[in-house]
């Protein structure tokens, strides 16, 4: 580069910096219409805020309200029922509270299984019931019920151990003979005898097992945020969470036994624990049985294995017969060579029309680390700076480990097609469910363009024969309607934020394919590299200039190696959402995010703010990452 060329670049820095901005508009005044609203009084603002909150959350509100109302009803019913028993004269309100909490525990121990019946949830998600029940929040509801169970355990077990039993053993002999002899016999039991009984032993064991399972299921233990010394470090991580959750098999057995040996109930049909659990346990057991047999029929053959920079493993597999899925859904994967019991969920990155299934797995835990090690042993050594690649053939298939898949299962992103505009935001490996949406959109775009071309050919033939046909035999009357195509989504904006430059290799082929085939500009893609100082910073000025020059000359970005221009730093999400909302006024925008929870809160709040300020409707969806 000569000096005069460098001077030209420096003088035109505003041009190439504006070129790399996320969105550009002919008029800056358009972006101000969201802030030009009249000031409203505090009562009006509060009313509008509550109306908006209800409109956004009415499905959650009625489900939670119904659940709470049922719990209150059961608690009050059991509270009043035991108030009429003679045991109330001895044990007092501690007994009533313990029994009321026990009734809510029965309900919640039954309900907590329903949100994790994945096949049922996937089926109901696409039914009419999905318009009234927020099935996307199934895991959140599962966690909410778990909190209610913890509260119920504290009330039930705490009242029995710290209040009921002490009052019983300290009661006078005359009072005991008057009110409690029918329950415990002529001899007043000791505290140790009450705890040693079937009801006491099963209750204590359940509390211990559930404490272990609940503790290891918390985010700190599940994500290994807590660092413990060896050998206690095995208590953290996904494996500890997965195995400890299976302790609930013992818990449910103990719960049925516990409910069959009640101290104060003798008639069998009043021991209702099994009645609460029967249907949910059978449904969940049926789901697990279905998964077991379906997984045995869904053994897949590997077509391609790729080891990417950034500890990412890409697997291309054959599609089993009758395996149908939607973009955004996920599958469970098992590798018997790593563990014959563990199943782990991964988003599908291939499109439904592809003749294969692909997933991208990043090394984040013990299981993924072992999986990468097993495949790395079978793959060709990676060349420095490039990905290691192995194409499966007859000679290599025997050396590749066996894989089983189970699914597909529903996810929030699968309903992307109901939105006019899409804003897809992925952080690192969180881009995986969004890549499938991009590929599906691209396939629909190509189909629509082919359909338009066929209609144009039909119109041309019709024009040539118009002389021999009267006005009543014009071109197909539905053709104007068909010209609109079957694609409801008019625009999609994809933002991929990553820290490592090598991450762009993961989906390089998809981004180049979209850039080449999307002639109508339906999909707009933006890559952000956060390990470089943001654009406008003097420390990144030189690389920005060279990047702009190379992209203008060759059409390829020097950072990502794709046709998509890479930005530096982090996106200004407020500016991005503001401009998209302004450009697509009155549209329904689906915001799909997959990444760390911190940014999810910011994006959700931004969508909330702009929904109140403008006419554009933004609906935020977060993948469980």
């Amino acid at each position: 580069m000569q000096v005069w060329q460098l001077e030209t670049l420096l003088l035109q820095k505003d041009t190439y910096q504006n070129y790399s901005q996320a969105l550009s508009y002919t008029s800056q005044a358009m972006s101000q219409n969201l802030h030009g609203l009249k000031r409203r009084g505090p009562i009006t603002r509060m009313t509008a805020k509550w109306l908006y909150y209800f409109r956004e959350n009415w499905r959650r509100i009625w489900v939670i309200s119904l659940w709470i109302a049922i719990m209150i009803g059961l608690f009050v019913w059991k509270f009043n029922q035991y108030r009429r028993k003679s045991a109330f004269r001895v044990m007092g309100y501690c007994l009533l509270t313990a029994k009321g909490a026990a009734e809510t525990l029965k309900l919640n121990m039954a309900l907590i299984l329903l949100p994790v019946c994945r096949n049922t949830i996937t089926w109901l998600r696409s039914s009419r019931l999905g318009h009234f029940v927020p099935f996307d929040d199934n895991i959140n509801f599962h966690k909410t019920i778990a909190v209610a169970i913890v509260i119920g355990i504290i009330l039930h077990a705490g009242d029995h151990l710290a209040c009921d039993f002490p009052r019983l053993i300290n009661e006078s002999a005359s009072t005991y003979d008057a009110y409690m002899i029918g329950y415990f016999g002529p001899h007043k039991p000791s505290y140790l005898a009450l705890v040693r009984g079937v009801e006491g032993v099963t209750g204590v064991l359940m509390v211990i097992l559930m404490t272990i399972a609940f503790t290891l299921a918390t985010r700190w233990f599940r994500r290994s945020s807590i660092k413990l010394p060896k050998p206690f470090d095995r208590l953290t991580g996904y494996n500890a969470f997965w195995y400890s959750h299976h302790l609930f098999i013992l818990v449910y057995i103990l719960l049925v036994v516990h409910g069959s040996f009640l101290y104060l109930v003798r008639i069998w049909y009043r021991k209702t624990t099994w009645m609460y659990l029967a249907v949910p346990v059978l449904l969940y057991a049926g789901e697990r049985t279905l998964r077991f047999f379906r997984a045995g029929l869904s053994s897949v053959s590997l077509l391609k294995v790729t080891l990417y920079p950034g500890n990412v493993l890409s697997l291309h597999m054959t599609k089993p017969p009758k395996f149908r899925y939607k973009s955004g859904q996920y599958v469970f994967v098992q590798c018997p060579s790593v563990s014959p019991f563990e199943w782990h969920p991964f988003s599908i990155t291939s499109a439904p029309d592809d003749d294969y299934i692909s997933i991208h797995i990043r090394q984040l835990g013990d299981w993924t680390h072992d999986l990468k090690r097993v495949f790395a042993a079978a793959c060709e050594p990676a060349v420095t700076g490039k990905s290691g690649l192995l194409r499966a053939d007859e000679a290599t298939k025997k050396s590749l480990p066996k894989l089983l898949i189970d699914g597909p299962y529903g996810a929030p992103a699968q309903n992307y097609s109901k939105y006019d505009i899409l804003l897809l935001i992925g952080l690192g490996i969180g881009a995986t469910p969004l890549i499938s949406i991009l590929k599906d959109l691209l396939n629909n775009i190509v189909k629509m363009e082919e359909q338009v071309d066929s209609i144009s050919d039909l119109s041309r033939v019709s024009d040539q024969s118009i002389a021999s046909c009267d006005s009543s035999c014009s071109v197909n009357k539905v053709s104007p309607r068909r010209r609109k195509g079957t694609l409801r989504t008019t625009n999609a904006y994809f933002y991929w934020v990553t820290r490592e430059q090598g991450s762009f290799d993961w989906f390089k082929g998809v981004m180049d394919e979209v850039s080449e085939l999307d002639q109508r500009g339906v999909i707009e893609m933006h890559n952000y590299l956060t390990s470089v100082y943001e654009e406008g910073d003097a420390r990144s000025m030189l690389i920005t200039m060279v990047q702009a020059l190379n992209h203008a000359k060759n059409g390829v970005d020097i950072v990502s190696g794709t046709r998509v221009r890479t930005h530096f730093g982090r996106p200004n999400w407020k500016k991005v959402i503001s401009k998209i909302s302004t450009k697509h006024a009155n549209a329904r925008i689906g915001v799909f995010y997959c990444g760390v929870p911190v940014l999810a809160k910011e994006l959700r709040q931004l969508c909330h703010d702009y929904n109140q300020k403008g006419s554009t409707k933004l609906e935020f969806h977060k993948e469980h990452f």
Side-chain angles (χ1 to χ4, degrees):
M1 181 185 295
Q2 297 182 6
V3 175
W4 68 270
Q5 293 174 319
L6 178 60
E7 292 177 347
T8 303
L9 279 175
L10 290 174
L11 290 172
Q12 296 180 352
K13 65 181 180 66
D14 293 336
T15 301
Y16 62 74
Q17 283 182 354
N18 289 335
Y19 174 79
S20 63
Q21 291 297 318
L23 296 168
S24 59
Y25 294 94
T26 57
S27 174
Q28 287 290 85
M30 291 178 62
S31 64
Q32 305 300 324
N33 64 354
L34 293 176
H35 307 286
L37 302 177
K38 295 181 179 180
R39 293 186 177 182
R40 297 174 296 180
I43 297 178
T44 306
R45 288 198 305 268
M46 184 63 67
T47 303
K49 183 178 180 180
W50 280 107
L51 287 175
Y52 169 78
Y53 179 83
F54 181 80
R55 188 168 62 249
E56 285 292 298
N57 299 281
W58 67 270
R59 296 188 301 170
R60 299 183 182 94
I61 291 173
W62 85 262
V63 170
I64 294 295
S65 300
L66 178 63
W67 172 57
I68 293 175
I70 293 175
M71 285 196 298
I72 293 174
L74 289 174
F75 186 94
V76 172
W77 169 64
K78 190 59 67 172
F79 188 94
N80 290 328
Q81 185 183 75
Y82 272 82
R83 194 172 187 175
R84 295 189 293 268
K85 288 182 175 289
S86 59
F88 170 62
R89 303 295 183 90
V90 175
M91 298 182 174
Y93 286 98
C94 296
L95 173 66
L96 309 188
T97 305
K99 290 302 181 179
E103 205 67 17
T104 64
L105 275 172
K106 297 175 189 177
L107 171 70
N108 289 326
M109 289 297 290
L111 286 181
I112 200 169
L113 294 174
L114 300 181
V116 291
C117 292
R118 298 187 183 92
N119 291 286
T120 304
I121 294 295
T122 300
W123 173 67
L124 292 175
R125 190 190 298 269
S126 302
S127 67
R128 291 185 178 180
L129 195 60
H131 297 292
F132 307 99
V133 180
F135 291 112
D136 290 342
D137 291 333
N138 61 319
I139 299 300
N140 290 330
F141 189 47
H142 179 77
K143 295 177 181 178
T144 304
I145 296 174
V147 173
I149 289 175
V150 171
I151 297 173
I153 290 173
I154 293 173
L155 292 175
H156 180 69
D159 279 334
H160 275 324
L161 296 175
C163 187
D164 291 351
F165 293 173
R167 292 187 64 167
L168 174 62
I169 63 176
N170 292 323
E171 193 58 68
S172 63
S174 59
T175 305
Y176 176 83
D177 292 339
Y179 298 109
M180 304 300 293
I181 194 171
Y183 298 117
F184 295 97
H187 301 290
K188 184 172 64 173
S190 65
Y191 189 91
L192 189 59
L194 291 172
V195 176
R196 281 181 175 179
V198 175
E199 188 180 37
V201 171
T202 54
V204 171
L205 287 176
M206 280 193 293
V207 170
I208 294 173
L209 294 176
M210 294 172 77
T211 300
I212 295 172
F214 284 147
T215 302
L216 298 184
T218 58
R219 182 177 182 83
W220 302 285
F221 282 87
R222 193 176 71 254
R223 294 295 180 90
S224 299
S225 300
I226 297 177
K227 303 299 180 183
L228 300 176
K230 293 183 178 181
F232 300 104
D233 58 337
R234 295 191 175 184
L235 294 177
T236 63
Y238 186 86
N239 287 348
F241 155 74
W242 192 86
Y243 285 113
S244 65
H245 243 54
H246 284 74
L247 292 174
F248 276 97
I249 297 174
L250 296 177
V251 170
Y252 278 97
I253 295 174
L254 291 172
L255 181 59
V256 173
V257 175
H258 182 80
S260 301
F261 290 86
L262 299 179
Y263 288 131
L264 304 179
V265 179
R266 293 290 183 264
I267 304 175
W268 70 270
Y269 58 82
R270 292 184 179 177
K271 300 176 181 180
T272 59
T273 302
W274 65 272
M275 300 180 187
Y276 281 93
L277 300 179
V279 174
V281 168
L282 288 176
L283 179 62
Y284 183 75
E287 288 244 348
R288 295 300 294 260
T289 304
L290 174 63
R291 289 180 59 183
F292 176 78
F293 287 106
R294 186 172 60 183
L297 299 174
S298 299
S299 177
V300 294
S301 300
L302 288 164
L303 302 174
K304 185 172 70 173
V305 179
T306 309
L307 296 175
Y308 286 115
N311 294 321
V312 170
L313 179 68
S314 172
L315 304 177
H316 286 62
M317 303 164 282
T318 56
K319 183 184 294 187
K322 299 182 180 180
F323 188 89
R324 301 290 183 268
Y325 65 93
K326 298 179 181 179
S327 292
Q329 292 185 333
Y330 64 96
V331 293
F332 276 82
V333 178
Q334 184 200 64
C335 181
S337 300
V338 177
S339 173
F341 305 109
E342 294 183 48
W343 291 84
H344 293 263
F346 298 99
S347 298
I348 303 173
T349 53
S350 54
D353 291 338
D354 293 337
D355 56 359
Y356 62 89
I357 302 173
S358 66
I359 58 175
H360 287 66
I361 303 172
R362 185 163 191 178
Q363 180 184 328
L364 292 174
D366 298 338
W367 189 88
T368 53
H369 181 276
D370 292 338
L371 185 71
K372 181 192 173 184
R373 175 181 51 78
V374 168
F375 278 101
C379 287
E380 299 172 356
V383 180
T384 304
K386 296 186 178 180
S387 302
L389 179 65
L390 173 67
R391 290 185 181 277
D393 53 27
E394 296 301 326
T396 58
K397 282 182 178 179
K398 295 182 180 180
S399 63
L400 292 175
K402 182 181 179 181
L403 281 185
L404 299 175
I405 64 171
D406 176 43
Y409 292 107
Q414 74 177 55
N415 296 321
Y416 77 91
S417 58
K418 69 181 183 180
Y419 296 100
D420 305 317
I421 309 296
L422 296 180
L423 175 56
L424 311 174
I425 302 172
L427 266 61
I429 198 64
T432 48
L434 312 179
I435 289 296
S436 178
I437 294 177
L438 288 180
K439 294 184 70 176
D440 194 32
L441 269 176
L442 182 62
N443 292 340
N444 289 331
I445 291 170
V446 173
K447 288 180 181 179
M448 187 174 64
E449 291 178 347
E450 291 175 352
Q451 190 179 47
V452 170
D453 291 341
S454 64
I455 293 175
S456 300
D457 294 339
L458 180 63
S459 299
R460 189 162 48 252
V461 171
S462 178
D463 290 341
Q464 293 175 356
S465 60
I466 193 70
S468 60
C469 184
D470 59 23
S471 58
S472 63
C473 103
S474 57
V475 186
N476 190 345
K477 293 182 180 180
V478 299
S479 59
R481 186 176 179 180
R482 292 178 62 192
R483 283 191 184 95
K484 295 181 182 178
T486 58
L487 187 63
R488 175 174 179 175
T489 303
T490 59
N491 289 92
Y493 301 90
F494 174 57
Y495 284 80
W496 186 17
V497 184
T498 183
R499 182 170 180 79
E500 301 172 359
Q501 181 182 355
S503 303
F504 294 120
D505 285 350
W506 304 346
F507 309 115
K508 179 179 178 180
V510 176
M511 290 188 287
D512 283 339
E513 188 178 6
V514 172
S515 300
E516 182 179 353
L517 297 180
D518 183 19
Q519 301 297 326
R520 296 173 54 242
V522 172
I523 302 173
E524 187 175 305
M525 296 181 294
H526 303 280
N527 296 333
Y528 278 82
L529 186 64
T530 59
S531 59
V532 180
Y533 293 104
E534 62 184 14
E535 295 164 357
D537 194 296
R539 290 166 288 188
S540 63
M541 186 69 70
L542 182 59
I543 189 174
T544 305
M545 291 190 296
V546 176
Q547 179 195 31
L549 183 65
N550 186 78
H551 196 279
K553 183 178 181 180
N554 302 318
V556 177
D557 184 71
I558 62 173
V559 179
S560 64
T562 67
R563 299 173 184 269
V564 182
R565 185 72 177 272
T566 301
H567 314 293
F568 302 135
R570 293 177 174 81
N572 185 332
W573 296 114
K574 183 176 182 180
K575 188 175 182 181
V576 168
I577 293 179
S578 173
K579 288 185 175 180
I580 292 178
S581 300
T582 302
K583 184 178 180 180
H584 303 285
N586 303 315
R588 189 182 182 193
I589 301 177
V591 182
F592 295 93
Y593 170 74
C594 187
V596 295
V598 177
L599 182 56
K601 295 180 181 178
E602 178 184 351
L603 293 173
R604 188 186 299 274
Q605 185 61 43
L606 286 172
C607 293
H608 175 274
D609 294 342
Y610 282 97
N611 278 339
Q612 290 186 311
K613 293 178 180 178
S615 57
T616 308
K617 177 71 171 177
L618 295 104
E619 296 185 18
F620 180 78
H621 302 275
K622 176 189 177 297
E623 289 286 338
H624 296 283
F625 181 69

